[in-house]
Amino acid sequence: MAATAAKIIGGGAGLETIDSSGSANAAAQLSDIREADAAFSTPPFLEPVKTTWWKNVGFLPGGAAKDVSEEVRAALLRFASKLASQPLPENQRFIISAPRMLASSAFAKKLARAAETVVLAADRPWQAQRSAVARAVELASGLGLLFAPGAAERFVAVVGCDTRSLSGEIAKMRDYLGEGSNTVTAADVDAVTSPGRASEPEIWGVTDAVGDRDIAAALKAFRRFETQSGAAVSVSAAVERFLRSLIAFKKGEASGVNPFVLRKYDRFAAKWAPAELRAARRRFMNLRERAVSGASDCIALLALELVRALRRRAER
């Protein structure tokens, strides 16, 4: 989250920070909400751009703080309503970072409509993806657009989960399609969509492509990680975990998994034979160990392994 915030903030000019890491009681939490509200309501003074970063907010719905008072919950909801109803000018940004936020809460749903507000929370990746996909579908509908099956997920994988970026890219898509079409396909997404300004590579962009055995999409998603330190370790480990989960799913060991994930895994499982999954997992385990040992050729090997694993037998 800190890396994502730093990317949005840039050089730090015009930055105002509110740190809620020590706000363990209702009085301190209410004070932080008032301070955040005041910062949101105050335009830039000397700097051309102002960024407010409210960080370590552990008392959001579903967060780390226990027994959050009703007064604090109500104040949070009022503030979220304000963020959603009063758009910021182009020279202001508002970032909230938290250990966790329940994506299905009323607070999160209101914030989803705040186009200039970026929320960075350590939710599970599928939660952030599901929320962003729903937001993209809603924004597209407002411009008379529909996503073809799978296109909304690919759109979010490219743009990221920032509402302003989603809105801007959907407007660009409307112009690209013109009046001749109202359906956004995966090919349209690949043709014109760009990463959002707050977008960081999301590992599920790689793992979803692996599940679908889509070589082009997997390599495109992987390229967003190539220049990151430790990419070979993190990506190979993520793919290995994903393949392990898919093996368990095919064995019927998927109790307690979210329905959104189950629907995706059901689609993925139909495209893989158990022996193929085991062989692919074994190769990525070996590659991860090679990367951990410091081998210098692992980025190239990872791209090759993605191609090898995703090719169907008839294509080999």
Side-chain angles (χ1 to χ4, degrees):
M1 290 186 294
T4 307
K7 182 189 249 185
I8 301 168
I9 291 164
L15 174 64
E16 182 173 347
T17 302
I18 303 155
D19 192 345
S20 292
S21 57
S23 301
N25 57 52
Q29 292 162 3
L30 289 168
S31 176
D32 287 350
I33 296 170
R34 288 192 295 270
E35 189 176 351
D37 192 345
F40 169 79
S41 304
T42 306
F45 180 48
L46 296 176
E47 298 288 347
V49 175
K50 176 184 176 181
T51 299
T52 301
W53 183 11
W54 187 15
K55 62 182 183 178
N56 301 316
V57 192
F59 50 90
L60 298 184
K66 305 298 181 184
D67 301 322
V68 176
S69 73
E70 287 301 321
E71 187 178 8
V72 170
R73 294 178 194 275
L76 282 170
L77 201 55
R78 286 195 299 271
F79 184 45
S81 298
K82 183 174 182 177
L83 289 171
S85 63
Q86 298 181 19
L88 283 167
E90 285 292 326
N91 64 343
Q92 281 187 253
R93 289 168 292 189
F94 195 92
I95 303 170
I96 302 174
S97 61
R100 181 152 309 204
M101 181 181 69
L102 184 63
S104 60
S105 66
F107 176 84
K109 289 177 180 177
K110 285 185 179 295
L111 281 186
R113 301 178 183 278
E116 293 79 20
T117 301
V118 180
V119 181
L120 309 172
D123 276 330
R124 296 174 183 174
W126 59 260
Q127 291 177 314
Q129 182 192 19
R130 181 175 61 175
S131 177
V133 167
R135 198 152 61 245
V137 169
E138 181 181 2
L139 291 166
S141 177
L143 293 181
L145 295 176
L146 295 171
F147 282 102
E153 288 79 4
R154 181 167 294 193
F155 179 79
V156 170
V158 175
V159 179
C161 299
D162 167 39
T163 302
R164 174 180 279 181
S165 297
L166 291 170
S167 180
E169 289 298 314
I170 286 173
K172 185 169 74 174
M173 184 64 70
R174 174 73 281 177
D175 292 339
Y176 170 75
L177 292 176
E179 298 303 320
S181 175
N182 293 323
T183 301
V184 181
T185 66
D188 296 327
V189 172
D190 292 341
V192 300
T193 304
S194 304
R197 69 178 184 185
S199 175
E200 285 203 340
E202 295 284 359
I203 197 62
W204 46 260
V206 178
T207 55
D208 278 8
V210 169
D212 278 322
R213 302 190 77 155
D214 188 330
I215 295 173
L219 292 176
K220 184 175 181 179
F222 170 58
R223 287 190 196 106
R224 302 180 69 195
F225 288 88
E226 281 182 316
T227 58
Q228 289 190 358
S229 176
V233 175
S234 60
V235 175
S236 59
V239 173
E240 186 276 323
R241 286 195 303 270
F242 168 76
L243 293 170
R244 187 196 326 154
S245 298
L246 194 51
I247 290 170
F249 177 85
K250 285 185 77 73
K251 291 179 178 178
E253 302 168 1
S255 59
V257 179
N258 184 275
F260 174 76
V261 179
L262 283 176
R263 287 194 295 272
K264 290 206 303 181
Y265 271 51
D266 192 50
R267 183 179 82 235
F268 299 153
K271 301 180 180 184
W272 289 87
E276 290 178 310
L277 285 172
R278 291 193 295 270
R281 184 193 170 200
R282 186 164 55 251
R283 289 198 296 269
F284 280 100
M285 286 176 65
N286 293 337
L287 182 56
R288 181 191 60 197
E289 294 304 317
R290 185 181 178 90
V292 168
S293 70
S296 60
D297 58 352
C298 290
I299 289 292
L301 285 176
L302 184 49
L304 289 172
E305 287 294 358
L306 284 169
V307 173
R308 179 195 290 182
L310 303 193
R311 288 162 96 183
R312 291 174 172 82
R313 289 179 181 176
E315 300 171 333
R316 293 176 185 168

